[in-house]
Amino acid sequence: MDFTNPLVYGVPVFIAFILFELTYSKTHGDDHLYEWKDLAASGFLGVGSALIGPLFKVIFAVVLFEGVYELCNPEINGVRQNFLGYESFGYIWYVWLLCMLADDFTYYWFHRANHEIRLLWAAHIVHHSSDNYNLGTAVRNGWFTILYKPLFYAWMPAVGFPPEMVVVCLGIEALWQFQLHSVYVPKLGFLEKIFNTHTMHQVHHAQNVEYLDKNHGGFLNIFDKLFGTWKELDDDIEVKYGVIHSPESYNPAVILTHEFKDIWNDMKKTKNWRHKLMYVFGPPGWSHDGSTLTVKQQQHQFKKFKEAKKSNPDLIFSRPN
């Protein structure tokens, strides 16, 4: 059965909604929401992803998914049998729901890994590098994530989901992720208990210490809640978007590569190979001499600061990195 990737129809919708939000913000006193140079950089990176993506998706996603599916689901007497001993999945409606749930579970761990493994963070930081939170930022995607993202999803065709079904679910997930990047949608009441919403994604894009590495979910927030990474937006906290170490450039080449350069510079600080590997595969912020801290270390310090502030209200938190 053949399906069309929903992103084929999503691109013109993305452009239309960005233009709508841009116009609305400029005519309703929110001039700060969009900066022209920042939007141009996001747009360039988005167009690059749209052009490069299909090529690599054919090579790394379709070929990978098809190969894994054929290997793990051989056709026996006209029926595909999964290597685990059951008949491979078809296209009935509840299989689509299961596939979306499996996709959401995979997206959570893929996304979380991008924040907790520095080499992957170097590719993903592109998306977080803007100090602005808007629909333009939604298309500010790193080009290198395309190279490894399909590897996270290869287990799905392995257990029996048809490759085209997986690709469609990936496209639907991307459509949902795009529309989350807006400050104009308030908290959504009871829906907040189930879905990953706009305010939750604002938390994810914030560089406030208490918000770092939170809300990695796709459609649902259940996996964040299960695995301890969920946090609700606090209306009393002023959100600061972006990353702690900004590339401080609108040059797409700098935005795409600056964290890789920082990794290389950090590796040169030590001759110990274990330390070098930690700078590549350890959590962002890890350092062999304690000069910079990981997110967990920063949040531990922040927790101690809040406790101390109860007895000394004049204390001011100093960001360690």
Side-chain angles (χ1 to χ4, degrees), residues 141-169:
N141 294 316
W143 298 354
F144 301 115
T145 56
I146 298 169
L147 299 176
Y148 61 86
K149 184 176 181 179
L151 298 175
F152 282 82
Y153 291 81
W155 74 272
M156 293 176 62
V159 300
F161 291 108
E164 58 271 26
M165 181 182 284
V166 177
V167 171
V168 169
C169 289

Side-chain angles (χ1 to χ4, degrees), residues 24-248:
Y24 184 88
S25 66
K26 296 300 181 184
T27 56
H28 287 74
D30 293 328
D31 289 346
H32 63 281
L33 192 64
Y34 279 88
E35 296 178 21
W36 293 113
K37 289 183 178 180
D38 184 74
L39 177 60
S42 296
F44 183 90
L45 292 166
V47 170
S49 293
L51 295 176
I52 297 171
L55 173 63
F56 283 98
K57 282 176 182 175
V58 168
I59 297 173
F60 292 102
V62 177
V63 172
L64 175 65
F65 291 169
E66 288 285 353
V68 170
Y69 184 72
E70 292 290 337
L71 178 66
C72 298
N73 301 271
E75 191 170 320
I76 302 174
N77 298 325
V79 179
R80 288 200 177 275
Q81 295 289 332
N82 188 267
F83 74 104
L84 294 175
Y86 52 82
E87 187 174 323
S88 304
F89 305 132
Y91 299 95
I92 197 166
W93 66 270
Y94 59 79
V95 174
W96 280 97
L97 294 181
L98 285 174
C99 191
M100 281 305 309
L101 183 63
D103 169 87
D104 211 53
F105 173 79
T106 308
Y107 180 85
Y108 170 82
W109 286 108
F110 160 74
H111 197 180
R112 181 169 174 173
N114 280 330
H115 283 257
E116 297 185 351
I117 300 172
R118 193 177 180 192
L119 182 63
L120 304 188
W121 173 242
H124 183 62
I125 194 175
V126 175
H127 181 62
H128 287 264
S129 60
S130 174
D131 293 336
N132 301 303
Y133 187 79
N134 52 49
L135 293 177
T137 302
V139 300
R140 190 187 186 100
N141 294 316
W143 298 354
F144 301 115
T145 56
I146 298 169
L147 299 176
Y148 61 86
K149 184 176 181 179
L151 298 175
F152 282 82
Y153 291 81
W155 74 272
M156 293 176 62
V159 300
F161 291 108
E164 58 271 26
M165 181 182 284
V166 177
V167 171
V168 169
C169 289
L170 277 163
I172 295 172
E173 187 91 61
L175 293 176
W176 180 267
Q177 284 291 309
F178 167 79
Q179 58 87 36
L180 290 178
H181 295 77
S182 179
V183 297
Y184 288 123
V185 181
K187 291 184 178 180
L188 299 175
F190 78 95
L191 294 178
E192 301 273 328
K193 298 182 181 298
I194 303 170
F195 295 103
N196 182 29
T197 62
H198 307 77
T199 56
M200 291 178 198
H201 206 59
Q202 288 175 44
V203 168
H204 181 71
H205 272 262
Q207 59 170 290
N208 306 63
V209 175
E210 59 267 57
Y211 285 162
L212 293 175
D213 285 2
K214 301 297 183 184
N215 300 353
H216 301 299
F219 272 109
L220 308 173
N221 59 41
I222 185 174
F223 300 117
D224 281 297
K225 290 178 177 178
L226 282 176
F227 301 114
T229 53
W230 182 79
K231 191 168 184 64
E232 186 178 10
L233 180 71
D234 188 337
D235 294 326
D236 295 328
I237 297 175
E238 182 180 354
V239 179
K240 185 176 182 181
Y241 299 109
V243 291
I244 298 172
H245 296 291
S246 170
E248 297 181 354

